[in-house]
Amino acid sequence: MKIGLFGTFDIGNFGDVLFPLVAQAMLQRARPGTQLELYSYRPKSSANWYYDVLPIQSLPERLGSLDLVLVGGGHLLHGNRYMAAGYGPTDPSIPHPFGFWWLPVMAAAMARVPSALHGVSIDPGFPGWCEPMLKAFAETVDYPSVRDTASQARLSGWAPSRDVTMIPDSIFSISRLIERGKLSPQCAAYFSEHGLHEKPYLIVQPSAALRAYMPFMDRLIDLALARGWAVLELPIFAEAHNRVGVFASRPGVISATHWPEPMLLAEIIANSAAVAGISLHLSIVASTYGIPVFRPRYARGSKYILLDGLSNISFMDDGSADLRDAANAYTPDRRIGQWQASLDQHYDRLIALAMEGSQRIERHVRGWDMLRDIPDSFRQRRAFGERLADVKLHARRSRHFLMAQAMPAMRWVRSAIRSRKR
């Protein structure tokens, strides 16, 4: 049985690169022998990436071999070409950003291959011209599953007759795969390299988004060091906004020498005494083990509402930097076990849908070129006001992207100036 998984597995974002690894392990638990084939915009090879990733444009010749098309997880369903600056398909004929979610589901329907969503989030800001495409998508996908109530309402609004399943983020299953306190050889080697053996450690994420919380972070680090803990400055993203050195001037802070591969990064988080950062999946992995999390508050319409009410979450805005005693095992929130049982049922349902797909004999790929051209056809019909707003959004996001790239250099210049004044 072969399942095609579609998403942004070609970028160094912790959650994105972790999704397929957890999905593969959980699908194998549900039905041994299940194969997962990954698709993203940019092709990747396991020789220099975490796994093989096929480009979306190769789908037409491979779709007939798939028993299920699966999209997700993560915040994938959006219509904003500039949501991630500089990211897009390597083949210009693939519609962006519809190429990794809308296109494979619609192509699967044309080929009579079942399709499903893997606990995705849906952006609220779709332009009006997308409405016919969104309705067709919602009515076509065989098993629509989302990870938050706002996304459930949006998808149900596009297709009121459909039942939309809500499941937890799939990374809440991580403790089924990684046991706290039982180190892999890779994790033991990482600990040895960074001097983390035999003492609790606090993980701090060197994120530009935490600049406003530096007094809190300094206080938290002081408390950890006073307790005899180690403090590890650990990037959670490999490509953007995380650069070691933010806390390097603090005595006692250990800066990670390299970004660990995704499952190793999850294991490092799983064995920590506490974490502080903005990353959603840093918070999710830690929460699965009941590890204390310190993070900023979030907007009610954001993807971070997945963390609502978890007992291990503390908000930096409240100013409390209280650290619990580090123990060999924390107690996760009582809902985690329920969520994991829900995810088990989700994987069973995916397997059942794939088995149904494996019995469909006719699998002729039809209409790929037509489907590929539909988003741009609708986009060209939008009003002038929508086009102007799109241009303004692109300019604003490009400015933010350039500033984020320039910040490390600016910090270095300021530091050099201060050193010379001394």
Side-chain angles (χ1 to χ4, degrees):
M1 180 182 298
K2 186 186 293 184
I3 295 174
L5 184 63
F6 294 76
T8 50
F9 315 127
D10 53 348
I11 58 176
N13 178 23
F14 180 40
D16 289 312
V17 292
L18 190 58
F19 282 131
L21 295 170
V22 173
Q24 176 69 81
M26 295 301 294
L27 286 166
Q28 288 275 1
R29 281 169 57 111
R31 188 179 190 275
T34 303
Q35 299 178 46
L36 206 57
E37 199 166 77
L38 308 184
Y39 293 83
S40 294
Y41 278 160
R42 300 179 290 187
K44 295 286 186 178
S45 167
S46 56
N48 50 27
W49 191 243
Y50 311 112
Y51 31 62
D52 293 324
V53 181
L54 296 166
I56 299 292
Q57 58 267 26
S58 67
L59 181 60
E61 61 264 26
R62 305 184 73 92
L63 185 55
S65 68
L66 299 180
D67 300 308
L68 176 67
V69 161
L70 182 60
V71 174
H75 191 71
L76 279 189
L77 271 63
H78 62 85
N80 179 5
R81 287 185 290 178
Y82 312 114
M83 181 166 278
Y87 180 68
T90 51
D91 181 347
S93 71
I94 300 297
H96 178 57
F98 304 96
F100 51 75
W101 62 275
W102 185 88
L103 184 60
V105 165
M106 303 308 288
M110 298 283 278
R112 298 188 68 231
V113 175
S115 62
L117 302 182
H118 186 44
V120 298
S121 291
I122 303 175
D123 192 72
F126 280 94
W129 59 266
C130 294
E131 186 174 351
M133 294 170 50
L134 301 178
K135 288 183 176 181
F137 175 87
E139 291 168 355
T140 297
V141 64
D142 293 288
Y143 170 35
S145 72
V146 296
R147 64 180 185 178
D148 60 80
T149 53
S151 297
Q152 186 181 39
R154 288 172 195 131
L155 196 55
S156 297
W158 300 339
S161 62
R162 298 299 306 277
D163 290 327
V164 179
T165 302
M166 193 169 72
I167 64 170
D169 185 279
S170 61
I171 304 304
F172 278 111
S173 290
I174 193 70
S175 62
R176 299 281 178 90
L177 312 177
I178 296 172
E179 183 180 344
R180 178 179 168 89
K182 187 176 181 180
L183 301 186
S184 67
Q186 295 81 6
C187 191
Y190 197 92
F191 280 10
S192 179
E193 180 182 351
H194 292 85
L196 295 175
H197 274 306
E198 299 181 358
K199 66 164 61 175
Y201 57 95
L202 165 71
I203 292 174
V204 291
Q205 180 185 0
S207 170
L210 294 178
R211 286 196 298 268
Y213 299 93
M214 291 307 289
F216 176 92
M217 297 293 285
D218 287 337
R219 192 161 68 253
L220 189 67
I221 290 170
D222 286 340
L223 284 172
L225 293 174
R227 285 189 169 207
W229 293 10
V231 178
L232 177 64
E233 181 187 37
L234 180 65
I236 307 301
F237 307 134
E239 293 190 357
H241 311 305
N242 274 212
R243 298 290 183 271
V244 293
V246 175
F247 303 101
S249 61
R250 293 293 312 271
V253 174
I254 302 164
S255 293
T257 58
H258 60 277
W259 197 64
E261 59 88 19
M263 288 298 281
L264 176 55
L265 178 53
E267 188 176 1
I268 294 167
I269 296 167
N271 284 283
S272 66
V275 304
I278 195 168
S279 161
L280 172 62
H281 286 97
L282 169 67
S283 297
I284 285 177
V285 172
S287 297
T288 307
Y289 299 88
I291 296 167
V293 172
F294 298 90
R295 59 164 300 111
R297 286 194 180 276
Y298 42 81
R300 295 312 310 151
S302 74
K303 62 185 180 181
Y304 299 99
I305 60 174
L306 303 175
L307 306 173
D308 279 0
L310 287 173
S311 55
N312 64 304
I313 304 285
S314 298
F315 294 108
M316 297 176 180
D317 313 67
D318 298 339
S320 174
D322 182 39
L323 289 172
R324 292 186 243 160
D325 289 330
N328 290 329
Y330 291 106
T331 302
D333 190 283
R334 58 181 176 78
R335 289 175 293 171
I336 298 295
Q338 299 169 2
W339 291 349
Q340 291 181 338
S342 176
L343 285 166
D344 290 344
Q345 295 172 5
H346 167 70
Y347 285 109
D348 288 340
R349 189 167 180 182
L350 291 178
I351 292 296
L353 195 57
M355 291 180 70
E356 177 188 330
S358 67
Q359 296 168 9
R360 298 187 185 183
I361 299 172
E362 290 185 40
R363 294 188 187 179
H364 303 297
V365 180
R366 304 181 181 91
W368 174 260
D369 292 343
M370 177 196 71
L371 290 171
R372 190 187 58 193
D373 294 339
I374 284 174
D376 278 340
S377 298
F378 277 107
R379 184 182 280 116
Q380 295 307 317
R381 298 179 188 176
R382 61 188 167 158
F384 175 76
E386 282 187 338
R387 297 188 188 189
L388 183 61
D390 200 27
V391 171
K392 290 179 178 177
L393 179 64
H394 177 49
R396 187 164 65 249
R397 288 189 177 276
S398 296
R399 183 171 68 250
H400 293 332
F401 176 74
L402 291 172
M403 285 299 295
Q405 297 300 308
M407 283 304 297
M410 293 169 64
R411 282 196 294 268
W412 182 88
V413 169
R414 291 193 193 105
S415 176
I417 292 172
R418 285 196 295 268
S419 298
R420 294 190 67 177
K421 285 183 178 178
R422 294 195 193 102

